[in-house]
Amino acid sequence: MTRPTEQLHDDIHQELTDPALHPIADAVAEGRRLSAEQGLLLARTHDLLTLGRLASIARRRRSGGTTWYIVNRHINYSNICSNKCRFCAFRRTAEAKDAYVMELQTIMLEAERAAEQGATELHIVGSLHPDLPFDYYLKMIGGLHQKHPQIHLQAFTAVEIAHLAERAGSDTQQVLAQLKQAGLGSLPGGGAEVFSPRVRQIVCPEKLPGDQWLRIMGEAHQLGLPSNATMLYGHVETVEEWVDHLLALRSQQDASGGFMTFIPLAFHPRNTDLPEARGTTGMMDLRMMALGRLMLDNIPHVKAFWIMLGLPLAQLTQHFGADDIDGTVVQERITHAAGATTPQALTVEDLRQLIREAGFQPQERNTVYRQVVRQGSSWHLA
């Protein structure tokens, strides 16, 4: 009798149009780690359907037929930034007419609305404001946690943490510890961009280097603060730099183990200072999603951020390795400043219907992937 793994080998091999993928298909069927060379083959192959099939095998091995979503709210507290990243359409100088800083009272009101709508997460990111004191951020997290202890606070990228340490005259580990004590629950994955020094010199020369981003994430994980991980793709990077970035994330995860989710971020070139950037295509988006799932065997989840991908493609990515479609979001500013035409928010029923149409079972989660159970207007963790 043919064993299940052998049957899987046979089924995949019959569908391959790129013979170079045969050893990779065997490795995926057997759950073995892929090498850098195999990652490059996947990044370059024209056999996109087989790439998706392989990523789907890896995805279903972890999450079965479930696709996760979350009821959350984004708060972008300021757009005044001392960095001058060329890919960013969100950043403003203090003198700009549309520059803003949210007062702490306003942030509390946003949180109150989120709580009334049943949110389990506040996702808080902003800019590197040159003048806001560290106390602003501590009071923000402390006040939110005290008022809404049931809501998980995912806040401040590694780049922001480095900036806060500078503002506080401290080091990043101490800043993370203080924020955790105030109520911080986890870190978002932004600011990673592409780790390649060549790319960063072109698109964000003033930004925290990639190795320092990884260091800060490792410190957060050691303190019990989990995080997400990202890669911004579709501008000036190469496929070799894709693979190097994924391998660096995989290595950090081997060391510190705190990454919950990998989120490929599709670059939107409109209103940015990167006229040479190409933007992404649907083929590139699906390839990146699948590549992330196949190379990052030690990161549990891969998220399709519908704000950047658009709703139809976010559905399709569930068959290319993604097992998470993010959440209700509500008033995302950063990607929309770069020309995103997706909605500012989705309802829970919108999300559940999108997932069902894709052929998967919707399941609400909290930030750290515990199942959320709703009863009327209240909720609890399973």
Side-chain angles (χ1 to χ4, degrees), residues 61-320:
R61 185 178 287 142
R62 283 189 170 274
S63 298
T66 297
T67 291
W68 300 92
Y69 69 93
I70 190 169
V71 179
N72 62 346
R73 190 180 189 94
H74 281 215
I75 296 176
N76 304 126
Y77 57 86
S78 177
N79 63 352
I80 299 171
C81 190
S82 56
N83 267 5
K84 301 179 180 66
C85 299
R86 294 181 65 208
F87 64 80
C88 182
F90 177 68
R91 178 247 182 202
R92 296 292 186 273
T93 63
E95 297 77 25
K97 291 182 179 180
D98 54 349
Y100 74 90
V101 178
M102 294 177 71
E103 299 289 340
L104 293 178
Q105 184 178 2
T106 303
I107 293 173
M108 294 298 292
L109 289 173
E110 290 286 314
E112 191 66 39
R113 295 190 191 100
E116 291 170 356
Q117 294 165 358
T120 64
E121 174 191 275
L122 293 176
H123 180 99
I124 306 169
V125 296
S127 58
L128 308 188
H129 195 290
D131 300 319
L132 284 176
F134 180 47
D135 192 53
Y136 170 88
Y137 304 89
L138 274 182
K139 285 182 176 178
M140 180 200 303
I141 297 300
L144 290 170
H145 182 64
Q146 184 175 15
K147 181 69 174 176
H148 305 286
Q150 78 282 13
I151 297 182
H152 184 104
L153 303 179
Q154 182 172 91
F156 312 136
T157 66
V159 178
E160 289 168 279
I161 295 297
H163 175 70
L164 298 189
E166 183 179 322
R167 295 294 300 153
S170 183
D171 62 49
T172 51
Q173 193 164 27
Q174 289 178 326
V175 162
L176 286 165
Q178 287 178 270
L179 289 168
K180 181 183 179 182
Q181 186 176 16
L184 183 66
S186 64
L187 271 63
E193 321 316 351
V194 176
F195 292 143
S196 161
R198 181 195 72 85
V199 170
R200 294 179 96 81
Q201 186 58 38
I202 296 170
V203 304
C204 54
E206 300 174 22
K207 182 161 267 185
L208 185 76
D211 61 342
Q212 296 302 305
W213 186 96
L214 290 165
R215 175 187 61 78
I216 291 169
M217 285 302 190
E219 290 175 351
H221 298 168
Q222 290 168 6
L223 288 168
L225 290 168
S227 72
N228 293 328
T230 62
M231 177 168 70
L232 182 72
Y233 66 97
H235 39 91
V236 301
E237 81 290 351
T238 66
V239 294
E240 290 85 0
E241 287 161 334
W242 285 0
V243 174
D244 287 345
H245 185 100
L246 294 174
L247 291 174
L249 290 176
R250 192 168 77 181
S251 179
Q252 182 62 56
Q253 183 73 341
D254 281 344
S256 59
F259 291 128
M260 300 178 290
T261 313
F262 172 62
I263 312 167
L265 301 176
F267 176 63
H268 286 246
R270 187 177 169 189
N271 301 327
T272 70
D273 190 29
L274 275 178
E276 68 270 42
R278 58 189 181 274
T280 72
T281 65
M283 292 281 284
M284 185 186 295
D285 293 328
L286 293 174
R287 184 186 305 277
M288 178 53 65
M289 199 68 60
L291 188 63
R293 179 63 287 161
L294 290 166
M295 295 302 293
L296 299 175
D297 53 40
N298 54 0
I299 295 182
H301 304 282
V302 175
K303 182 188 295 185
F305 188 38
W306 62 261
I307 286 283
M308 283 186 159
L309 293 170
L311 300 178
L313 197 58
Q315 286 180 297
L316 188 55
T317 60
Q318 304 304 303
H319 295 277
F320 279 76

